[in-house]
Every structure is written in structure tokens, then in C-alpha cells.
Amino acid sequence: MLWLSFLKEQGGPEELPAKMALDWWSPMDNSWKIFEEYHIDENLGFALPNPLEELPHPYDAWIAIAKNLPELIKNGQLRAEVEKLATLSIDGLQGHKMQRLAHLVLGYITMAYVWGQGDEDIRKVLPRNIAIPYCKLSGKLGLPPILVYADCVLANWKKKDPSGPMTYKNMDILFSFPGGDCGKGFFLVSLLVEIAAASAIKVIPTLFNAIQCEDLDALQKALLDITSSLHKALEVFHQIHEYVDPKLFFNVLRIYLSGWKGNPLLSEGLLYEGVWDTPKKFAGGSAAQSSIFQCFDVLLGIQHTVGGVPSGSAAGFLQEMRTYMPPAHRNFLHSLESGPSVREFVLSKGDALLQETYNECVQAMVSLRNYHLQIVTKYIVIPASQQAKKKQASEEPSEEENRGTGGTNVIDFLKTVRGTTVRSLLKEG
Ligand code: HEM
């Protein structure tokens, strides 16, 4: 990826050494210690535990804007406020959590600056006072300089009552876009899906151990545990209907999550003033940047690649989305790829019950993707066609309207990914 070379220029994080990518599940290792290295929490999975909410002076000036984003946008003051900001060095941003909060805040400010009031008045240049610290910080964190899922979902939450449960009612997001509670619904439900599936990540070391020891009973149990976590994740997914309004999602939130790659509105990309001489293209924020589905794809041998090479544009897009994940999570997926193949092992044993249990696990991924397809139809495809009818411009929604925030042609892409998942089910006999 082009921007990964930028990270190297900025002295960004290194990939983990090869040793780390091997055998971390071996019984000798304390697997949770290793999971810490991959920034995976025992209870929250890939979500950032207890994200910070405040930045010290002088970075509090960024927070002040991000906290008032919908208001400043509505009053038409946002861009002027952003242009007034001092160009800050990032040296005072100490520690991972502070840096993640700053990346989240600068991401919100950047999206708001570019898309303005969500109409045709967009900006193609990000001023240097934001662009320089944002790109430096992005280099340091190994993330691109655009709002990513790791910002707006994984690091954008708090509990209302700190001693209460991780439930929608007891949670809130730290920063909002216009569109009322639609953003809160989309970000928090995505986070809760992540957390529900996190209990399945815990099982991975047990599962690999079972394969190494050829313990079929333990493997059977591990697969059942993973299936049950994926079923729970699907149940949580249902909450999207309660908390996300399709019209607000399509007409408002989707605009602020849009990127500048494959987007005709910014066909050249965005110019990060003072950083690069030419505009750069980055995909918008999307749950396709979540590591959780890709994690179970890799684990179960659901291969969107052929011989390690992405097989077609859907697989290419999923691979590309990995470069929008925190490097520790990207490395985790990579390390799983070097682990033992669950699928090959199950096949080699010829045990009907084990095959059935493996298939239930893959089927749980199919069900998640089926459900997701229904959601995308409700939240993107139907509103897009209604809009097209209103405009009476054409019978069919334009390609642009049918695109997801990540810039894909949504339904074709999602059906391809689901198809690969279905084909991973083992045939009987
Ligand atoms: C209103 C709710 C949602 C909408 C409208 C939506 C829309 C989309 C779209 C358009 C894509 C295609 C990629 C792109 O262009 O961005 C996508 C991909 C994806 N989304 Fe969602 N999404 C929603 C909720 C979620 C949630 C809650 C999750 C789970 C945390 C999720 C997980 C994924 C994944 C993993 C992909 C990659 C494709 C795959 O692996 O199957 N989405 N989504």
C-alpha cells in the first residue's frame, strides 16, 4: 500500500518480529501476555479498554472543536474554527491511549472539515495546522490519516456508570457527527458486536493446543464455544434496527464517514497541506476495517485468497482494509495465518461429528453475513433507490449512491464474500 511507505518514512511502528508470529499458542506460553502484545483484551477483544476522554493543554483545543462538531457545522463555523488552530507538535501526546484519542479527534475534525454541511461545498485541501500533526500521529500509530473504525468504534466509547454493564443503555460515544443518535447507534452496536464475539478469541489458544495434541474432544468443545459466541454476536446485531434510523444513516452519517478513494466527489484525493505535494486517496470508515470477521475467516480457513494471493477485487478490498487496522491487530491476523489449519486438521481426521461441528462454526459466519446483507439492503440499497426515484434522474440508483463508505459496490462485494464463506462448508462424506 502506498501509504504504508509513508509510515516507514515517519518512523511508524514496525511489524512484529517473525518469532512473535510463530507458536504463540504453545502450552509453554502465557497466551494472555502474548495477546497483550497484539492489543487484544480478554473481555473486549479488539476494542480499546477504557478509552481516555480528555487531552491535556494545548491539545484540549482539538477536543473543544470535536465535542461541538454538530453545533459548529450547523452554524457554519466549523471550518473557520479549524483554520484558527495552532500547528501543534505531537511530542506531548504521551502513551498509546492518549495518541488513540488524538487520532480519533483529528479524524472527526478532518471529516467535518472536508464534508462541511454534507452538501456540495466540500474542501479538497486539509490545512497544514491539522494535516501536519494528523499525519505525524498517524505515522506513529501505523494508521492512515482518515477516520477509521479503530477510531470511531473501538476508541470512541465510555460507560455512563463505570461499575455498570457493557450494555447499550449504560454506554455512550465520546464524539458525534450530525444526524442525532444515528452515529451513536451505528458505532455502539458495532462495538457491542465486537465485544460479543470477543469471547470467541479467548478460545483460539485452546483450539490450537487441541490440534497440536490431537485432542478431538477439546477441539470439538472449542469449536462449539466459538459458534456460541458468534451466535451471540448475531443477536447483538439485531439492535441496529432499534438504534439506527435508515434515512439518517444514508443521508447524513454515511456522508461524514465517506473517504477520498474511489469517490467521484474527491476523485484526486485530499491534499494534506505541508505533508505531501500531491493529493492522497484513503478509503472511508467502515466496519469492513473490523478485525473480528477476518479473524474467524482466517481461523476457519475461509480463504478469500488463492495461494496467498487475493483472488479478485473483493478479496483485494478485504486485504486492503487490513492496512486500516491498528498494526497490532493486523499482525495478529498475520500470526493466525501461520498457525495450524483447523480446516485441514478436521478434514484429515474424517470424523463426522467433528466435521459437523466445524460446519456449524462456518455456518455461524454465513448467518452473520446473511444478516449483514439484509442490513445493508435496508440502510443503503433501499434509501439509494428511493433517492434515485425522487430525483427521477434514472430508474436505477447511480453507482455512487450504491457505494458503501469504504467505496465498494456494496451488494456484489458482500455477496462474493458470503459466497466464499458458504463454499467453505465441508461436504458430507
Ligand atoms: C447500519 C449498519 C451497517 C451498514 C449500513 C454496513 C454497511 C457495510 C458496507 C457498505 C460494507 C461494504 C464495505 C464498504 O464499502 O464499506 C460493509 C462491510 C462490512 N461490514 Fe458492515 N455495515 C453495517 C454494520 C456492520 C456491523 C455492526 C458490523 C460488525 C461489527 C459490520 C461488519 C462488516 C464487515 C466485517 C464487512 C466486510 C465484509 C465481510 O467481511 O463480510 N457491519 N458494511
Side-chain angles (χ1 to χ4, degrees):
M1 290 304 124
L2 207 67
W3 72 264
L4 280 178
S5 58
F6 153 73
L7 294 182
K8 291 201 181 90
E9 280 165 32
Q10 304 286 313
E14 298 286 322
E15 300 292 308
L16 288 178
K19 170 78 186 78
M20 201 64 144
L22 296 168
D23 291 350
W24 53 260
W25 58 86
S26 95
M28 301 302 287
D29 279 331
N30 174 352
S31 40
W32 276 110
K33 208 167 149 25
I34 304 295
F35 273 16
E36 271 170 33
E37 302 279 347
Y38 288 117
H39 291 193
I40 298 172
D41 181 84
E42 183 165 6
N43 299 312
L44 303 178
F46 297 107
L48 186 71
N50 304 317
L52 286 187
E53 292 177 46
E54 299 294 341
L55 291 174
H57 187 70
Y59 307 103
D60 50 354
W62 296 343
I63 296 271
I65 293 188
K67 279 272 178 228
N68 281 321
L69 221 59
E71 186 82 357
L72 290 169
I73 291 174
K74 197 167 155 208
N75 300 338
Q77 296 169 332
L78 187 271
R79 285 174 177 148
E81 289 299 315
V82 172
E83 283 156 12
K84 273 192 240 159
L85 287 168
T87 310
L88 301 177
S89 149
I90 62 158
D91 294 348
L93 294 168
Q94 297 297 323
H96 184 71
K97 281 195 180 175
M98 195 183 284
Q99 290 164 3
R100 288 286 292 274
L101 174 58
H103 199 267
L104 164 69
V105 166
L106 292 173
Y108 262 80
I109 294 176
T110 298
M111 298 320 239
Y113 188 86
V114 169
W115 301 120
Q117 296 187 324
D119 51 21
E120 274 150 32
D121 180 21
I122 60 172
R123 290 289 180 276
K124 298 183 176 180
V125 180
L126 188 68
R128 60 194 312 119
N129 55 340
I130 283 291
I132 294 175
Y134 193 22
C135 290
K136 275 255 177 261
L137 179 64
S138 299
K140 196 161 194 156
L141 283 171
L143 292 169
I146 188 166
L147 188 81
V148 290
Y149 182 86
D151 300 319
C152 58
V153 173
L154 302 180
N156 187 21
W157 64 273
K158 66 171 178 191
K159 284 207 238 171
K160 289 179 186 163
D161 167 7
S163 59
M166 293 284 287
T167 53
Y168 193 93
K169 297 251 181 303
N170 190 40
M171 289 171 80
D172 210 343
I173 51 172
L174 306 181
F175 304 97
S176 301
F177 284 117
D181 275 349
C182 170
K184 177 177 166 182
F186 181 56
F187 298 148
L188 281 188
V189 173
S190 302
L191 180 74
L192 290 169
V193 170
E194 288 273 335
I195 293 173
S199 51
I201 306 177
K202 273 201 233 184
V203 182
I204 298 176
T206 316
L207 183 133
F208 281 159
N209 271 325
I211 293 179
Q212 271 184 339
C213 308
E214 306 229 353
D215 182 342
L216 299 197
D217 288 343
L219 178 58
Q220 175 92 10
K221 182 170 180 320
L223 286 171
L224 284 172
D225 286 346
I226 292 176
T227 306
S228 134
S229 298
L230 295 178
H231 286 161
K232 278 188 211 133
L234 179 57
E235 260 171 49
V236 174
F237 228 133
H238 288 61
Q239 296 184 36
I240 205 105
H241 301 288
E242 194 177 337
Y243 298 116
V244 184
D245 176 83
K247 285 206 178 80
L248 284 177
F249 178 85
F250 185 78
N251 295 312
V252 186
L253 187 65
R254 195 179 56 102
I255 314 268
Y256 290 99
L257 297 180
S258 301
W260 26 96
K261 182 168 186 190
N263 186 343
L265 294 172
L266 270 173
S267 54
E268 306 281 303
L270 179 71
L271 184 70
Y272 293 78
E273 199 182 61
V275 182
W276 290 294
D277 295 334
T278 50
K280 296 289 172 226
K281 296 179 184 173
F282 295 107
S286 158
Q289 296 163 357
S290 158
S291 306
I292 200 86
F293 282 36
Q294 294 217 30
C295 166
F296 294 105
D297 281 346
V298 174
L299 189 74
L300 296 169
I302 301 168
Q303 284 196 325
H304 303 286
T305 60
V306 175
V309 179
S311 65
S313 62
F317 179 76
L318 287 177
Q319 277 297 323
E320 187 188 344
M321 287 300 103
R322 287 197 188 184
T323 69
Y324 289 71
M325 297 172 188
H329 298 167
R330 206 185 301 151
N331 288 335
F332 179 67
L333 297 180
H334 190 59
S335 89
L336 283 183
E337 278 163 350
S338 69
S341 164
V342 180
R343 187 181 166 80
E344 291 303 318
F345 182 81
V346 170
L347 270 171
S348 73
K349 290 294 152 197
D351 179 310
L353 186 62
L354 192 59
Q355 289 206 7
E356 201 182 303
T357 312
Y358 167 87
N359 271 352
E360 279 166 16
C361 219
V362 176
Q363 187 55 49
M365 289 297 289
V366 174
S367 303
L368 273 165
R369 290 198 156 115
N370 273 335
Y371 195 75
H372 182 261
L373 259 158
Q374 289 175 29
I375 288 178
V376 174
T377 305
K378 172 173 168 179
Y379 286 91
I380 295 185
V381 179
I382 294 174
S385 76
Q386 283 167 347
Q387 194 176 76
K389 272 190 204 136
K390 250 195 225 157
K391 280 186 197 162
Q392 292 187 330
S394 66
E395 297 268 299
E396 293 294 315
S398 71
E399 218 187 293
E400 163 52 19
E401 283 157 344
N402 233 338
R403 277 175 190 277
T405 47
T408 59
N409 191 312
V410 175
I411 295 295
D412 287 354
F413 163 69
L414 294 173
K415 282 189 175 163
T416 303
V417 177
R418 180 187 57 183
T420 312
T421 316
V422 172
R423 280 193 300 282
S424 302
L425 288 164
L426 297 174
K427 306 272 179 307
E428 272 176 46

